[in-house]
Amino acid sequence: MSGLRTSRTRLAAAAATAVLAALSLTACNDGTGAHDEGAASTASTNPSSGATSSSTPSNSTGTTGSTGTSGSTGATGSSGGTSTTGSTTGSKSAGGTSASKASSAPVTCQGSNTKTVAAPLNRPVNHMLLTVTNTGSRTCFLYGYPAVRFTGAQAVPPVITESQPQAVVTLEPGQSGYAAISLSATDGSSEGGHTAKSLTVYFSPRSMSGSVGAPAHPPLPAKGVYVDDSIKVTYWQQDMNDATDW
């Protein structure tokens, strides 16, 4: 009995040892297997991560390069070109318009842009008609009345105030304005009579102070004209009849 029990005890101990050994081996294999699966999982994840990492910079670079180069260059080129061209064209256009306006602006009539003719009149008697024609390319204004000076005259003759027109005489190129000169008294009652052989006509500025530009020197008849101290002139007139009415 005692030997049987001893034998059973040994068998049980051996069996227990075998079981522990098996459990130990199983545990060791499970640990190694878990480690291998982990390594495999890591290896699998890294390529995926690598692909993702590689893909993202590529897309980012491609997008930036395409958008940045095309959009930036295109916008800058188009906008810059349009702005510069528009500014230059506008400046030239404005400059051209200003120059055109300046070259067509009206000026004051004077000896250099007109032709003056002095002709004796039969009616009214002892009168002379001044005809001023615009020979320039721009409209000119005849302000006030002519300041005439005959040979030997001591002063510029006065104007007939009642002859003043309602508007300034305006001469387009080729048009004429008129003024009459009453040379002497019809009854010979005035003093200072003499025969004049030359005439100078001065033109007034808008301010009516002094004269402007070059004077005119219309020729007189060869025998000259008789003038006395009663001499006077009319204002410049747009119509010849308005000048000869005085």
Side-chain angles (χ1 to χ4, degrees):
M1 286 294 289
S2 177
L4 181 60
R5 287 181 181 177
T6 300
S7 180
R8 288 181 177 178
T9 299
R10 290 179 178 174
L11 288 174
T17 299
V19 170
L20 290 175
L23 289 175
S24 175
L25 180 60
T26 301
C28 182
N29 290 337
D30 287 344
T32 303
H35 177 73
D36 290 344
E37 289 177 0
S41 175
T42 302
S44 175
T45 301
N46 286 341
S48 175
S49 298
T52 303
S53 175
S54 174
S55 174
T56 301
S58 175
N59 290 339
S60 175
T61 302
T63 302
T64 303
S66 175
T67 303
T69 302
S70 175
S72 175
T73 302
T76 303
S78 175
S79 176
T82 301
S83 175
T84 301
T85 302
S87 175
T88 303
T89 303
S91 177
K92 288 182 179 179
S93 177
T97 302
S98 298
S100 177
K101 288 182 178 180
S103 65
S104 62
V107 296
T108 301
C109 298
Q110 54 167 297
S112 63
N113 58 16
T114 61
K115 179 181 179 180
T116 303
V117 175
L121 294 173
N122 293 326
R123 295 179 61 89
V125 294
N126 300 342
H127 277 63
M128 174 173 281
L129 180 68
L130 293 178
T131 301
V132 174
T133 303
N134 183 356
T135 57
S137 59
R138 299 159 68 175
T139 299
C140 73
F141 296 128
L142 277 172
Y143 294 107
Y145 55 90
V148 299
R149 188 179 291 276
F150 287 93
T151 307
Q154 299 300 313
V156 172
V159 66
I160 301 172
T161 57
E162 295 85 355
S163 67
Q164 184 172 8
Q166 295 183 349
V168 174
V169 175
T170 302
L171 303 182
E172 299 291 338
Q175 290 186 333
S176 299
Y178 310 89
I181 305 173
S182 176
L183 298 171
S184 59
T186 57
D187 59 3
S189 61
S190 186
E191 298 180 352
H194 67 282
T195 299
K197 294 295 186 74
S198 66
L199 170 64
T200 301
V201 179
Y202 298 92
F203 297 86
S204 298
R206 183 176 182 178
S207 64
M208 294 300 297
S209 177
S211 62
V212 62
H217 302 279
L220 297 177
K223 64 178 183 178
V225 294
Y226 182 81
V227 298
D228 64 23
D229 292 346
S230 68
I231 185 173
K232 50 188 175 288
V233 299
T234 69
Y235 279 91
W236 291 113
Q237 307 293 331
Q238 198 79 51
D239 185 88
M240 183 175 63
N241 291 330
D242 293 334
T244 58
D245 281 346
W246 307 94

